[in-house]
Amino acid sequence: GENVEQHPSTLSVQEGDSAVIKCTYSDSASNYFPWYKQELGKRPQLIIDIRSNVGEKKDQRIAVTLNKTAKHFSLHITETQPEDSAVYFCAASMYDYKLSFGAGTTVTVRA
Amino acid sequence: DAGVTQSPTHLIKTRGQQVTLRCSPKSGHDTVSWYQQALGQGPQFIFQYYEEEERQRGNFPDRFSGHQFPNYSSELNVNALLLGDSALYLCASSQREGPDTQYFGPGTRLTVL
């Protein structure tokens, strides 16, 4: 089955700086890559996703890049704010609605 | 437009007992997937229901079973509870014939003593 690895496990950034989280996946058939943000005690919320026919996608301060050849994808958050502090999960699937998640990255934005 | 809902919010059980968790999908969604999230880990796929049938299953024992009703709501049943079953159980809904984006419910926190 699909194996998703996520790095780093924790990330501390100064407010206003950028944060980058990287994930690799094992199954070249995976073609859908969502990112979820989970605040303490809350549900995972989709923040951005990308499909395999696209190399990059941006939504305001958040962007995701995908390298199919290397089988890795990354989340970029620019101009970080305190409300960006949360656990971020990457995931991969093959259009079969079975999401394989990474272990998560705890992001702390220092004021 | 109601999002994904789950009940109960919290549940405490003892080893060997059985538990049933419930999920109502987002309006317009017909597919429900269940995930187990242990503390400090990413969600792990349990199984998925569409058209009232289990379509896919993750690496979970037969103690985990489910059901989907004609109104697309779903139940997750766990028999013979173990301490290791303590976790947050999340359901996610999606549209079969449409974008495969999954939306999560708030989860049920199960504690097994």
Side-chain angles (χ1 to χ4, degrees):
Chain A
E2 176 65 276
N3 181 45
V4 177
E5 294 191 356
Q6 183 171 347
H7 300 280
S9 57
T10 61
L11 182 59
S12 180
V13 297
Q14 190 69 34
E15 182 177 357
D17 287 351
S18 295
V20 180
I21 303 170
K22 299 182 179 181
C23 290
T24 60
Y25 60 99
S26 61
D27 196 328
S28 56
S30 289
N31 52 19
Y32 175 61
F33 307 92
W35 287 88
Y36 287 87
K37 173 183 179 183
Q38 188 175 29
E39 297 177 45
L40 193 63
K42 301 287 183 65
R43 73 185 75 193
Q45 291 205 312
L46 180 72
I47 56 173
I48 196 167
D49 57 12
I50 192 167
R51 302 184 190 278
S52 57
N53 59 345
V54 175
E56 183 174 357
K57 184 177 178 180
K58 190 173 181 180
D59 182 5
Q60 298 183 350
R61 297 186 296 106
I62 294 173
V64 58
T65 58
L66 172 65
N67 184 326
K68 287 171 53 180
T69 303
K71 290 190 284 187
H72 67 69
F73 56 113
S74 300
L75 177 72
H76 304 252
I77 307 173
T78 58
E79 301 173 16
T80 53
Q81 301 168 5
E83 53 264 38
D84 294 329
S85 295
V87 180
Y88 291 81
F89 292 98
C90 63
S93 81
M94 291 176 274
Y95 273 135
D96 57 1
Y97 307 92
K98 173 186 171 182
L99 292 173
S100 297
F101 283 85
T105 297
T106 301
V107 174
T108 303
V109 179
R110 307 187 307 273
Chain B
D1 179 21
V4 183
T5 60
Q6 291 186 244
S7 64
T9 306
H10 296 88
L11 208 49
I12 299 175
K13 293 285 187 178
T14 56
R15 281 178 297 175
Q17 285 189 312
Q18 178 265 341
V19 68
T20 297
L21 311 180
R22 296 175 177 82
C23 171
S24 291
K26 182 178 168 66
S27 178
H29 286 186
D30 55 10
T31 300
V32 174
S33 301
W34 286 92
Y35 294 82
Q36 180 195 66
Q37 186 177 23
L39 202 60
Q41 297 182 24
Q44 298 291 315
F45 177 79
I46 303 174
F47 44 52
Q48 175 195 106
Y49 277 84
Y50 171 65
E51 289 186 332
E52 302 179 47
E53 289 188 16
E54 183 183 296
R55 299 292 177 170
Q56 289 201 75
R57 190 178 185 89
N59 189 24
F60 279 81
D62 292 344
R63 298 186 297 108
F64 290 77
S65 63
H67 188 77
Q68 186 179 35
F69 299 93
N71 67 353
Y72 308 121
S73 67
S74 177
E75 288 182 349
L76 164 65
N77 301 293
V78 187
N79 294 323
L81 285 167
L82 304 174
L83 296 179
D85 294 332
S86 295
L88 180 67
Y89 288 85
L90 296 160
C91 81
S93 73
S94 52
Q95 242 179 334
R96 198 68 173 183
E97 301 299 329
D100 47 1
T101 306
Q102 293 190 41
Y103 295 91
F104 282 87
T108 294
R109 172 71 62 186
L110 173 65
T111 302
V112 182
L113 302 176

